[in-house]
Amino acid sequence: MASGFNSMSHVHQGIPFSRAASTAVRVSWGSGLWEERILKAWSKQDLKKLKMKTQKEYDPIEKRMAVYRGVRLKEVIEASMNQLSLDQKAQVDLIVLKNKKKQEIALPRWLLNKYSVLIAFLVGPQEQSNESRFYSVIPWTSESEIKREILPLEKFFLSDLDEVKLTNFKSYYEDELFLEKSSDPIAMRGQKRFVQTCMPCHRQTKMPSIQ
């Protein structure tokens, strides 16, 4: 598809990676097969211009309750996609978060639309000392209904966040995980559940084909 992930014609104004500020969260677009570009680098001051939220969640990393203040990741993504065509925006169904330690987690985009997933940069009583750090925060304490989703929610907390990559499942995961024929609606529903539910945990493990 000419206007899809194999076309960068609509992102010619993207920011080269080397120019992104180290104290900002970069929002990038693309896939592993083509050059990736940064759509926008969000500093603390940029994020503060959006609608702020405060959430109290149990931190699975520190094993304690914490108060997070930040903005919805959904709003950051939508504000970053102005350079993309409608078709390119529609193809983004997977959000990959990366941190300075080269760790990464993959979240289905629908999760961000349905629940208040945050990019937080003020954390509890230590907000001043931690203001230069960014965190991904899942509302698994403040929105209990999210626990009904069959997803590894505790793995979606990431500290020292520095990049948000907009991509799609088929670009991010191996082709052998996808059906060659899409005529069977039952099989397609099974494929969607398998990829969105299982793969966030098992991406690094060699998985059998679902053909």
Side-chain angles (χ1 to χ4, degrees):
M1 185 176 296
S3 60
F5 277 87
N6 59 341
S7 172
M8 303 305 297
S9 59
H10 293 274
V11 292
H12 60 283
Q13 296 179 349
I15 306 168
F17 275 92
S18 59
R19 291 172 53 193
S22 60
T23 57
V25 174
R26 306 174 310 230
V27 177
S28 64
W29 176 88
S31 76
L33 299 179
W34 299 281
E35 178 187 4
E36 298 176 17
R37 296 296 299 267
I38 294 180
L39 301 179
K40 184 174 177 62
W42 291 83
S43 67
K44 298 187 300 291
Q45 296 305 317
D46 293 329
L47 292 173
K48 288 178 180 179
K49 294 176 183 178
L50 301 178
K51 184 178 180 180
M52 300 289 295
K53 290 199 66 177
T54 299
Q55 293 178 193
K56 188 175 183 180
E57 311 290 348
Y58 180 77
D59 183 342
I61 301 173
E62 300 294 335
K63 308 296 183 184
R64 62 175 175 82
M65 293 296 296
V67 178
Y68 296 95
R69 184 162 173 77
V71 298
R72 286 194 64 175
L73 182 54
K74 172 188 175 182
E75 295 183 12
V76 174
I77 290 172
E78 290 178 349
S80 301
M81 293 199 300
N82 293 335
Q83 301 177 43
L84 303 182
S85 67
L86 292 176
D87 182 58
Q88 289 169 330
K89 292 177 183 179
Q91 289 186 58
V92 176
D93 60 11
L94 186 69
I95 310 300
V96 180
L97 307 181
K98 303 181 181 182
N99 68 6
K100 297 176 182 178
K101 299 177 182 178
K102 308 302 181 182
Q103 298 171 319
E104 63 180 60
I105 54 176
L107 292 76
R109 187 180 177 185
W110 64 260
L111 188 74
L112 313 184
N113 294 333
K114 189 174 181 180
Y115 300 102
S116 182
V117 178
L118 298 185
I119 290 183
F121 51 88
L122 301 179
V123 184
Q126 299 175 328
E127 59 184 33
Q128 295 302 320
S129 62
N130 285 336
E131 200 171 83
S132 62
R133 302 175 63 190
F134 299 91
Y135 308 80
S136 62
V137 179
I138 304 299
W140 68 339
T141 306
S142 60
E143 298 183 49
S144 59
E145 60 270 24
I146 197 175
K147 294 182 179 180
R148 299 174 184 172
E149 310 292 352
I150 308 176
L151 290 168
L153 299 176
E154 71 281 359
K155 295 183 180 295
F156 295 160
F157 282 80
L158 196 66
S159 61
D160 294 318
L161 179 67
D162 70 347
E163 184 180 350
V164 177
K165 178 179 176 180
L166 313 182
T167 185
N168 59 32
F169 281 95
K170 202 155 190 178
S171 295
Y172 190 67
Y173 297 122
E174 297 179 12
D175 287 340
E176 68 177 13
L177 299 176
F178 295 86
L179 295 167
E180 294 180 358
K181 298 180 180 180
S182 58
S183 57
D184 187 338
I186 296 178
M188 291 301 296
R189 285 197 296 270
Q191 172 185 275
K192 182 177 180 180
R193 172 60 66 90
F194 172 78
V195 173
Q196 294 190 1
T197 303
C198 303
M199 291 312 296
C201 275
H202 297 286
R203 184 193 178 217
Q204 301 304 324
T205 304
K206 186 66 175 177
M207 303 293 289
S209 171
I210 59 171
Q211 300 293 341

